Amino acid sequence: MSTAELLGDERLPLYQRLADSLRQDIVDGVRSPGDRLPSENVIAEEYGLAPGTARQALAKLVGEGILERFHGKGTFVRRPSFDKSLFRFFRFRGADGAHVVPQSRILQRSVEPAPAHVARHLNLKAEDPSIFFNRLRVIEGVPVVVEEIWLPLEAFRDILSIEPESIGPLLYPLYSTLCGHVVARAQEELTVGRAEAETAEILCVAEGEPVVVIDRLARGYDDTPLEWRRSRGRADQFHYHTEIR
Amino acid sequence: MSTAELLGDERLPLYQRLADSLRQDIVDGVRSPGDRLPSENVIAEEYGLAPGTARQALAKLVGEGILERFHGKGTFVRRPSFDKSLFRFFRFRGADGAHVVPQSRILQRSVEPAPAHVARHLNLKAEDPSIFFNRLRVIEGVPVVVEEIWLPLEAFRDILSIEPESIGPLLYPLYSTLCGHVVARAQEELTVGRAEAETAEILCVAEGEPVVVIDRLARGYDDTPLEWRRSRGRADQFHYHTEIR
DNA sequence: AAGTGGTCTAGACCACGTG
DNA sequence: ACGTGGTCTAGACCACTTC
């Protein structure tokens, strides 16, 4: 039976140090989304702790959204789902009213110097070369959202190796398989603006119509900024709801 | 030593039935926001459970936002804070940039037949008499948000007994002290519209300017709908941010 | 010093999913 | 039948707050 060591500040509770250790395994790629962890009894034995203590650590990571547990099956590294993205609140509905992933059309892909606000978010120097995508989201032929997407060139160079036409509607799986970068979480900001000439044309609305602007900064498990994007969509197609207390 | 009975479905876990029982005490007004609960050991003894089981029930209610615990002090019924209200994301900032509660001016208070959408949310019949407020939120003399507020007449009749001029910026404490109804949670929906003539005039913007519309349904601990309101504010003063994973 | 919640132990038994 | 997580017990000791 292998025994592991708990590192970190000895003044911290054991369950927290165990949680940190398990989280670090995910950051380091020792475990990846979808992987199953050893059972709580095995983990407890490995680290020389009582089962209840291991349990507490696992509960903490479930609360953080990093793990998920299924009765009778096991404990798994969660695949981030982005179900709560503000983006989701555009009415992406098919003819039957069901929620659908919109089709994507990549209008442009190029390497550009990073504008100042992009460089700031991605921890680059202004003008550092970066990968730029301009993408249109379409549902049943109707343009709904237009996006600018920025990636640091060094970390994502391999994404230039495939044809833009062959890129499907989801980018994050590509980031993972082609470039080894897993998006673990993101922050989003919502503001309301008015369509400028170019945006209005792409979205097929009159210039000056209200648009919802969503800025998203996506990060890895270790909080490294991976991608910054700005999405603009028709405001009349947007409807957000939330629960407060 | 008083001993209490756990009611409810016997197939449910004990900690859940205990949580339900404690929650019901709050619904019934046996305990109110700010009250301190007995210690976990006392609760466990009262219900004939192990301390760990009582602990689990308390943790569940903390997770629901109903209780809060303080090391060395005790367990308390939480006062809902509404920190997460979308409303908060209007730039209510004073000269120093700090977040401030805006001043309020009540433009109208009357008893009106409930419009259909209000009646639906408040579980009334259409045209049932209800209390209506029209209120303006102002910061440093600048109008920011205008609100329509609807209350069921029967439950809130006593709020008609005080002069509208003497009502401060916060209504929910009045609901509690005058009418005995505690707002425990709310749902909010955000959409974007354009200012109609009346709204534009009150907010001092041009007709047709984008406005953010926030609809809120506030509920008591037992989920009874208590208040429905629609707030309209200048879209250029709105900025929402959220964390996703 | 007394009382509170926070951490931790060392189990038992049950319910669920899979082979 | 077996291994998983879920529930529950019955404590011990520690850290924090209050008196």
Side-chain angles (χ1 to χ4, degrees):
Chain A
M1 194 57 255
S2 71
T3 59
E5 289 290 318
L6 274 182
L7 306 173
D9 193 330
E10 295 187 6
R11 294 167 304 183
L12 292 174
L14 294 172
Y15 80 91
Q16 223 178 84
R17 291 163 64 197
L18 174 54
D20 291 344
S21 170
L22 295 170
R23 197 188 301 102
Q24 193 60 41
D25 285 350
I26 297 168
V27 170
D28 295 342
V30 176
R31 301 184 200 285
S32 302
D35 287 359
R36 203 188 85 172
L37 270 67
S39 77
E40 58 188 39
N41 287 326
V42 171
I43 292 177
E45 210 177 330
E46 272 181 9
Y47 287 88
L49 300 171
T53 305
R55 191 171 187 67
Q56 212 175 342
L58 293 170
K60 183 176 160 70
L61 294 173
V62 169
E64 289 177 22
I66 291 175
L67 299 181
E68 50 188 351
R69 314 192 76 185
F70 301 97
H71 197 163
K73 295 184 70 175
T75 303
F76 299 81
V77 180
R78 184 165 164 269
R79 296 177 203 277
S81 71
F82 293 86
D83 267 0
K84 286 193 254 170
S85 169
L86 295 173
F87 195 66
R88 197 179 111 78
F89 294 100
F90 286 103
R91 295 200 184 93
F92 290 151
R93 69 273 175 258
D96 58 350
H99 190 77
V100 295
V101 175
Q103 293 173 278
S104 296
R105 193 184 314 152
I106 292 187
L107 305 177
Q108 183 186 345
R109 182 185 70 183
S110 53
V111 175
E112 308 274 346
H117 64 285
V118 173
R120 192 172 58 249
H121 285 117
L122 295 181
N123 286 350
L124 302 174
K125 285 191 281 293
E127 310 293 312
D128 272 2
S130 359
I131 300 170
F132 171 76
F133 286 89
N134 194 358
R135 183 168 72 161
L136 181 62
R137 299 282 208 162
V138 176
I139 294 227
E140 294 170 348
V142 180
V144 187
V145 172
V146 58
E147 299 176 298
E148 337 165 351
I149 299 172
W150 295 87
L151 302 166
L153 176 59
E154 287 314 318
F156 287 90
R157 189 182 290 280
D158 291 347
I159 211 161
L160 297 172
S161 67
I162 58 170
E163 289 306 311
E165 293 73 27
S166 68
I167 294 178
L170 300 173
L171 286 175
Y172 290 178
L174 283 188
Y175 296 169
S176 171
T177 56
L178 287 179
C179 314
H181 294 295
V182 178
V183 173
R185 57 182 153 274
Q187 299 157 268
E188 291 189 333
E189 310 205 359
L190 182 156
T191 52
V192 178
R194 308 190 71 153
E196 292 175 19
E198 195 190 347
T199 308
E201 194 187 330
I202 298 176
L203 292 179
C204 303
V205 297
E207 205 173 324
E209 282 287 305
V211 290
V212 168
V213 182
I214 295 172
D215 291 349
R216 175 196 288 179
L217 179 62
R219 298 175 181 273
Y221 280 111
D222 59 352
D223 272 344
T224 313
L226 295 175
E227 174 212 67
W228 186 85
R229 63 167 77 180
R230 171 165 287 170
S231 310
R232 292 184 176 85
R234 296 175 52 149
D236 60 359
Q237 295 295 308
F238 189 81
H239 187 134
Y240 180 64
H241 46 91
T242 187
E243 185 88 14
I244 60 176
R245 50 188 179 191
Chain B
M1 193 56 253
S2 73
T3 58
E5 289 290 318
L6 274 183
L7 306 173
D9 193 329
E10 295 186 8
R11 294 166 304 181
L12 292 174
L14 294 173
Y15 81 92
Q16 218 177 91
R17 291 163 65 198
L18 174 54
D20 291 344
S21 171
L22 295 171
R23 196 189 301 102
Q24 193 59 43
D25 285 349
I26 297 168
V27 170
D28 296 342
V30 177
R31 301 185 202 284
S32 303
D35 287 1
R36 203 187 85 171
L37 271 68
S39 77
E40 59 188 39
N41 288 325
V42 172
I43 292 177
E45 209 176 331
E46 272 181 8
Y47 286 88
L49 301 171
T53 305
R55 188 168 188 70
Q56 211 176 342
L58 294 169
K60 182 176 160 69
L61 294 173
V62 169
E64 289 177 21
I66 291 175
L67 299 181
E68 49 190 350
R69 314 193 76 184
F70 301 96
H71 197 162
K73 295 181 71 172
T75 303
F76 300 81
V77 180
R78 183 165 164 271
R79 297 177 201 276
S81 71
F82 293 87
D83 267 1
K84 285 194 254 170
S85 169
L86 296 173
F87 194 65
R88 196 180 114 79
F89 293 100
F90 286 103
R91 296 201 182 92
F92 289 152
R93 56 213 173 324
D96 59 349
H99 191 76
V100 295
V101 174
Q103 293 172 279
S104 296
R105 193 183 315 151
I106 293 188
L107 306 177
Q108 184 187 346
R109 182 186 69 184
S110 53
V111 174
E112 308 274 347
H117 64 285
V118 173
R120 192 173 59 248
H121 285 117
L122 295 180
N123 286 350
L124 301 174
K125 285 190 282 292
E127 309 293 312
D128 272 2
S130 4
I131 299 170
F132 171 76
F133 286 88
N134 194 358
R135 182 168 73 161
L136 181 62
R137 298 282 207 162
V138 176
I139 293 228
E140 293 170 349
V142 180
V144 187
V145 173
V146 58
E147 299 175 299
E148 339 165 350
I149 299 171
W150 295 87
L151 302 167
L153 176 60
E154 287 315 319
F156 287 90
R157 187 182 292 280
D158 291 347
I159 211 162
L160 297 173
S161 66
I162 60 169
E163 290 304 312
E165 293 73 27
S166 68
I167 294 178
L170 300 172
L171 286 175
Y172 290 180
L174 282 188
Y175 296 170
S176 171
T177 55
L178 287 179
C179 314
H181 294 296
V182 177
V183 173
R185 57 182 152 273
Q187 298 157 267
E188 290 189 332
E189 310 204 359
L190 181 155
T191 51
V192 178
R194 309 192 70 154
E196 292 176 18
E198 195 189 347
T199 307
E201 192 186 330
I202 298 176
L203 292 179
C204 302
V205 297
E207 205 172 324
E209 282 287 306
V211 290
V212 168
V213 182
I214 296 172
D215 291 348
R216 175 196 288 177
L217 180 62
R219 297 175 181 272
Y221 281 111
D222 59 350
D223 274 342
T224 312
L226 296 175
E227 175 212 67
W228 187 84
R229 64 168 77 180
R230 171 165 287 171
S231 309
R232 292 183 174 87
R234 296 174 54 147
D236 60 359
Q237 296 294 306
F238 189 80
H239 188 133
Y240 180 64
H241 46 92
T242 186
E243 186 86 14
I244 60 176
R245 51 187 178 195

